[in-house]
Amino acid sequence: MLHEFEKLPGLVKDHVHCDIVAAPYPDRLQDVLPTSLMHEAQQEIAQWHGYEPTPLHSLVALAGELDLSAIYYKDEGLRFGLGSFKALGGAFAVIKQLQEVIESRTGNRVSMESIRKGEHADLCGQITVASATAGNHGRSLAWGAQRAGCPCKIYIHAGVGDARKEAMEAFGAEVIRVAGDYDASVYHAAAEADKNGWFIVSDTSYPGYLERPRDIMAGYTVMVREVLDALEPDNLPTHVFLQTGCGGLAAGFAGGLWLETGADLPRIVVVEPTEAPCLLLSARNHAATAYQIEVESMMVGLSCGEVSILAWDILEPCSSDYITITDDGIPPAMRLLASGAPGGIPIVGGESGVAGLAALIDAARRQDLRTGLGLSENSRVLLIGSEGATSPDIYQEIVGHAAA
Ligand SMILES: Cc1ncc(COP(=O)(O)O)c(C=O)c1O
């Protein structure tokens, strides 16, 4: 099953371990990601048309091959037909943004349900949301904006493929391509929003910009609820591998899980591309640390050099390990899932979606990392398959056939 991996040199290039003090979700994190907001997001999103929990696959054969007790793979490729977990974040934050603006303009606090159902389309039509994106966040934003009836402007950089652009346009967004890298698209989105009175709905936080990224992380906790509902209490994971761009996914998931499991929080392992190791550097420096990206990883969603400061507030006290991986393991991991061999049915995983899987395959087979990450035949590892074939053309090129 792992023949493609036999030929590869070690995929994991760097590992930083941090000692974590087991403790319940700290009160001080209520200011970062409050329990009430997590519950609000979970209740709201469960009402959305088409909502259903995404599958949690048990990769039994692969777990046996890697001498682990279990590997769970949560397939976010099936989330709301949008192809990634991001559907849970941006679309929720759009509703929160509209609720806030409508209240400030009319004095009335309208319900999220009424916004979602398009009942305030006249007001929403005058509120423009905007963001930079590598693709998945923008798709979520465009989808949420279309439902509420508000205009949406999305800024992408040169490296974002046409398929991703078209997917956002299909939800009615105006997509503007700018020269330069992701940071350039962030800059343009912010400058245009400032000039035109638009509202930035970004998934990354920075000093002075916290509310929408907080909403987005709260939206991601829906995945936690679903995982806990799907597993028997005796089978909860001992480890969670979470791939990161700015850290929102990892922090939302780890934060939500921490709230639920308290001092029994599984070991949180953050996975990044070697080309964008901002969280690993932050762990090494004990402070949020940016990294100047020089080469774009094929894990496009993870190619991010700036740490979301809210995410870091959550990850620092709860993530024990930070590792970086090269791109080399990504195509083999996508093909492995597509073969159906790991769990008995084929699974569609995109380039960023399989990062945790690629990292685990390497880590479980290298004695130094196996020991360093505390992996053993008793370990149950949860992976978040954060996207499906969000770039169908690239998926087909790598896997050899179109995504089913
Ligand atoms: C498929 C996929 N996985 C993981 C991530 C990482 O999420 P975050 O930037 O919140 O860390 C992204 C971000 O765009 C993504 O698109």
Side-chain angles (χ1 to χ4, degrees), residues 23 44 74 91 108 113 124 129 135 142 151 173 208 250 262 269 280 284 300 322 342 361 369 375 401:
E44 164 63 18
K74 185 145 179 72
N108 290 332
E113 183 184 15
C124 294
V129 293
V269 180
L280 178 135
R284 189 164 274 151
V300 182
Y322 299 78
I361 291 172
L369 284 168
L375 292 168
H401 57 78

Side-chain angles (χ1 to χ4, degrees), residues 83-86 133-137 164 203-204 216-217 220 243-251 279 300-304 350-353 384-388 390:
S84 87
F85 75 102
K86 292 255 164 181
T133 185
N136 289 333
H137 170 64
R164 290 174 184 270
D203 52 358
T204 191
I216 288 171
M217 291 196 298
Y220 298 160
Q243 54 269 35
T244 60
C246 70
L249 163 62
L279 282 147
V300 182
L302 314 186
S303 184
C304 178
E351 304 90 278
S352 299
I384 302 296
S386 52
E387 69 178 347
T390 52

Side-chain angles (χ1 to χ4, degrees), residues 1 15 23 30 51 56 103 120 127 140 148 158 169 201-202 240 261 264 294 308 332 335 347 362 393 398 403:
M1 186 192 311
H15 175 204
Q30 291 295 341
Y51 170 76
L56 185 66
E103 185 171 13
H120 307 285
I127 304 167
S140 178
E169 286 168 343
V201 178
S202 166
V240 188
T261 58
D264 294 327
E294 278 161 15
S308 171
R335 288 190 282 265
I347 299 172
D362 196 41
D393 44 347
I398 292 175

Side-chain angles (χ1 to χ4, degrees), residues 115-141:
I115 294 174
R116 161 172 37 96
K117 289 186 169 165
E119 290 171 21
H120 307 285
D122 48 343
L123 287 168
C124 294
Q126 298 161 35
I127 304 167
T128 299
V129 293
S131 183
T133 185
N136 289 333
H137 170 64
R139 198 175 301 192
S140 178
L141 207 62

Side-chain angles (χ1 to χ4, degrees), residues 25-329:
Y25 190 68
D27 284 346
R28 72 188 154 77
L29 287 188
Q30 291 295 341
D31 291 339
V32 179
L33 185 57
T35 306
S36 56
L37 185 62
M38 296 192 230
H39 290 162
E40 188 183 17
Q42 290 165 17
Q43 278 157 16
E44 164 63 18
I45 292 169
Q47 306 301 315
W48 292 358
H49 178 71
Y51 170 76
E52 56 180 353
T54 53
L56 185 66
H57 298 289
S58 189
L59 308 185
V60 178
L62 182 61
E65 186 99 6
L66 295 176
D67 200 17
L68 301 168
S69 172
I71 301 174
Y72 308 119
Y73 184 93
K74 185 145 179 72
D75 185 0
E76 287 296 311
L78 299 171
R79 185 66 75 182
F80 285 116
L82 262 69
S84 87
F85 75 102
K86 292 255 164 181
L88 299 168
F92 176 65
V94 168
I95 301 179
K96 294 285 285 182
Q97 179 72 67
L98 292 170
Q99 193 179 37
E100 207 175 282
V101 179
I102 291 173
E103 185 171 13
S104 76
R105 289 187 182 170
T106 67
N108 290 332
R109 181 109 181 137
V110 300
S111 70
M112 289 195 276
E113 183 184 15
S114 64
I115 294 174
R116 161 172 37 96
K117 289 186 169 165
E119 290 171 21
H120 307 285
D122 48 343
L123 287 168
C124 294
Q126 298 161 35
I127 304 167
T128 299
V129 293
S131 183
T133 185
N136 289 333
H137 170 64
R139 198 175 301 192
S140 178
L141 207 62
W143 179 60
Q146 187 180 56
R147 278 191 312 185
C150 77
C152 179
K153 314 268 183 187
I154 300 288
Y155 288 79
I156 58 172
H157 64 88
V160 179
D162 282 339
R164 290 174 184 270
K165 177 171 183 277
E166 284 154 21
M168 293 182 272
E169 286 168 343
F171 289 118
E174 184 185 339
V175 184
I176 302 113
R177 194 185 282 284
V178 300
D181 61 6
Y182 177 72
D183 290 339
S185 60
V186 172
Y187 171 80
H188 279 275
E192 289 299 310
D194 203 35
K195 198 166 78 191
N196 296 298
W198 303 338
F199 294 88
I200 291 284
V201 178
S202 166
D203 52 358
T204 191
S205 58
Y206 43 85
Y209 184 79
L210 304 173
E211 293 316 314
R212 298 297 76 88
R214 198 194 315 282
D215 296 335
I216 288 171
M217 291 196 298
Y220 298 160
T221 68
V222 165
M223 292 182 282
V224 173
R225 192 61 274 139
E226 293 176 358
V227 167
L228 295 178
D229 288 347
L231 292 174
E232 296 297 329
D234 289 350
N235 289 334
L236 293 187
T238 57
H239 295 70
V240 188
F241 279 50
L242 293 162
Q243 54 269 35
T244 60
C246 70
L249 163 62
F253 195 91
L257 191 59
W258 195 359
L259 183 72
E260 299 287 345
T261 58
D264 294 327
L265 179 71
R267 194 156 167 170
I268 302 293
V269 180
V270 167
V271 178
E272 293 174 291
T274 46
E275 292 84 359
C278 56
L279 282 147
L280 178 135
L281 292 178
S282 302
R284 189 164 274 151
N285 296 340
H286 305 287
T289 306
Y291 179 81
Q292 181 62 47
I293 293 178
E294 278 161 15
V295 179
E296 295 285 340
S297 163
M298 75 181 297
M299 298 171 253
V300 182
L302 314 186
S303 184
C304 178
E306 297 274 346
V307 176
S308 171
I309 55 170
L310 288 177
W312 179 243
D313 283 346
I314 296 171
L315 291 172
E316 186 179 26
C318 77
S319 300
S320 59
D321 298 276
Y322 299 78
I323 58 182
T324 56
I325 58 165
T326 64
D327 280 357
D328 300 341

Side-chain angles (χ1 to χ4, degrees), residues 373-396:
L373 293 171
L375 292 168
S376 75
E377 70 280 11
N378 298 320
S379 300
R380 293 179 296 274
V381 183
L382 171 64
L383 306 171
I384 302 296
S386 52
E387 69 178 347
T390 52
S391 275
D393 44 347
I394 296 177
Y395 184 87
Q396 174 148 8

